Amino acid sequence: DLFKLYKLIWERFVASQMTPAVYDTQSCKIMNGTHTFRASGSTIKFDGFLRVYSKNDESESESESETNLHFPELKESQELSLLQINDQQHFTQAPPRYTEANLVKTMEELGIGRPSTYSSTITNIVARGYVAKESKTFYSTELGEVVNRIMKSNFDDIVSIDFTAKMEDDLDKVEDGEIVWKEILRQFYSPFEAKLQLAEAQIGHIEVEDEKTDVICENCGRNMVIKLGKFGKFLACPGFPECRNARPFFENADVPCPSCGSDILIKKTKKGRRYFGCSNHPTCEFMSWSKPTGEKCPECNEALVEKGTKNTKIACSNSKCTYSKEKEDF
């Protein structure tokens, strides 16, 4: 293990001092009647730093997804013969949600903040309830969407990407002695003060309505609501402070328990790891780290679960059973 780590550091360092790789890229349009087929590929012309280090060496999945097409030399209007058609259907996927890693990468690419501020930025948006973090993925909350809408409508020049990047450049110039810091504050605060006073007069007091549920409070009979606390969502009575009844909130996974048929709930451990448990606990002790499908394995009669993130498959929860099948998307 020590050698592998040393080898990785050594190869990356040496590769960073080497000449970039050179590729020959090709892109062609193939006409067939009224239809147009497009294909592109690339061929390495000069290895460069790839002779020492390649990212594909670290990830088999990456090397599989980055397979290049190699074309023969083609000429314009050349007639081609059909050899094979791969009838694979693809659907346009929505952009993936941010995780901590790609959020930091995006801020770095856009020039937002400094490496020393990335961690505090992420901590603040989570602590203030603007986003919720589930399985390393960020989801915007209703509060976050309301705050974002108010900021964009009243302080559009401040919440823009260009503002933050420009401010970072100006601070660098202050450090280099090219600009006086008082001049930067003067240029920023005068228009900002006017917008702030206008916003305070127009916005007023905004309340984010709590989401009502069909769970009845056993103390006063009201429908309990979902609130966001320090440790996530919880159920509370809307009659607070007269009624202080509260209980944990678990989202429904919308699948039946493979053991007893009750609802499967999404729960979390004390350390925040998500798991799936039966709502009939402790009578039913079913628990799984992967989302169950509600079906039983045809080979060993154990519960079937979804495994994988990108290429999800249905597999048996029994580690000794090798049964699996492709997930059907509807």
Side-chain angles (χ1 to χ4, degrees):
D1 291 338
L2 292 175
F3 171 74
K4 289 179 180 178
L5 176 60
Y6 179 83
K7 181 173 180 289
L8 174 64
I9 296 172
W10 185 88
E11 288 179 348
R12 283 201 173 195
F13 171 74
V14 173
S16 69
Q17 308 302 310
M18 295 176 66
T19 307
V22 179
Y23 291 85
D24 278 337
T25 60
Q26 281 183 307
S27 179
C28 64
K29 295 181 181 180
I30 305 169
M31 307 296 296
N32 183 7
T34 58
H35 302 283
T36 302
F37 299 91
R38 293 178 175 84
S40 60
S42 61
T43 305
I44 296 179
K45 186 178 180 181
F46 174 68
D47 289 350
F49 71 90
L50 294 176
R51 184 69 64 88
V52 174
Y53 168 76
S54 174
K55 280 202 305 181
N56 294 346
D57 295 339
E58 297 179 17
S59 173
E60 294 181 2
S61 59
E62 275 192 81
S63 60
E64 292 173 0
S65 63
E66 294 180 3
T67 302
N68 289 314
L69 297 175
H70 300 283
F71 295 151
E73 188 175 343
L74 301 176
K75 297 180 180 178
E76 189 174 353
S77 302
Q78 179 180 345
E79 186 173 336
L80 303 178
S81 300
L82 175 65
L83 298 179
Q84 184 182 4
I85 292 180
N86 296 327
D87 54 344
Q88 295 180 349
Q89 187 175 14
H90 296 276
F91 296 93
T92 302
Q93 299 293 325
R97 293 185 179 273
Y98 283 112
T99 61
E100 284 193 20
N102 55 29
L103 180 57
V104 168
K105 183 180 179 181
T106 302
M107 289 194 294
E108 187 177 6
E109 291 174 350
L110 298 174
I112 300 174
R114 304 285 180 92
S116 58
T117 63
Y118 295 153
S119 177
S120 59
T121 299
I122 293 174
T123 301
N124 284 338
I125 61 175
V126 174
R128 295 175 183 175
Y130 299 152
V131 296
K133 187 178 177 183
E134 296 180 10
S135 301
K136 299 182 180 181
T137 304
F138 292 123
Y139 294 84
S140 60
T141 62
E142 187 177 357
L143 174 61
E145 292 177 2
V146 170
V147 172
N148 182 61
R149 187 164 58 248
I150 292 174
M151 293 296 294
K152 289 182 70 175
S153 59
N154 293 277
F155 306 99
D156 56 329
D157 56 337
I158 294 177
V159 296
S160 68
I161 296 171
D162 296 336
F163 171 81
T164 310
K166 183 178 181 299
M167 181 60 70
E168 294 290 346
D169 292 337
D170 289 341
L171 292 176
D172 288 336
K173 291 179 181 179
V174 171
E175 184 180 7
D176 295 336
E178 299 178 15
I179 302 178
V180 180
W181 64 271
K182 289 184 179 180
E183 183 61 28
I184 292 180
L185 290 178
R186 192 177 295 112
Q187 293 175 0
F188 164 75
Y189 193 74
S190 296
F192 173 73
E193 184 182 21
K195 283 193 172 185
L196 185 61
Q197 293 176 355
L198 181 63
E200 288 178 344
Q202 291 180 348
I203 295 174
H205 183 67
I206 295 178
E207 291 186 2
V208 179
E209 293 186 4
D210 296 318
E211 182 181 350
K212 290 185 178 181
T213 68
D214 55 0
V215 180
I216 303 300
C217 174
E218 58 268 25
N219 293 347
C220 63
R222 294 185 177 97
N223 285 68
M224 301 189 78
V225 297
I226 299 175
K227 288 187 174 291
L228 186 65
K230 182 179 180 181
F231 301 102
K233 295 179 179 179
F234 66 96
L235 289 175
C237 181
F240 182 87
E242 292 84 9
C243 180
R244 296 177 175 268
N245 186 26
R247 65 172 74 168
F249 171 75
F250 301 117
E251 292 185 41
N252 197 318
D254 296 326
V255 291
C257 175
S259 298
C260 66
S262 301
D263 291 334
I264 289 292
L265 303 178
I266 303 174
K267 301 183 178 182
K268 288 186 178 181
T269 64
K270 291 182 179 179
K271 293 185 177 181
R273 186 179 178 186
R274 191 175 74 160
Y275 70 95
F276 298 85
C278 182
S279 60
N280 199 22
H281 180 81
T283 304
C284 176
E285 297 183 350
F286 175 82
M287 175 268 180
S288 172
W289 296 112
S290 303
K291 183 179 179 180
T293 64
E295 302 173 320
K296 293 288 187 73
C297 174
E299 295 184 3
C300 67
N301 205 37
E302 292 291 332
L304 292 179
V305 296
E306 296 181 6
K307 292 197 173 182
T309 53
K310 292 184 178 179
N311 301 315
T312 306
K313 287 187 176 182
I314 305 299
C316 182
S317 58
N318 183 2
S319 59
K320 297 181 180 180
C321 179
T322 59
Y323 176 80
S324 66
K325 65 176 182 178
E326 294 293 330
K327 181 182 177 182
E328 298 179 359
D329 295 321
F330 297 98

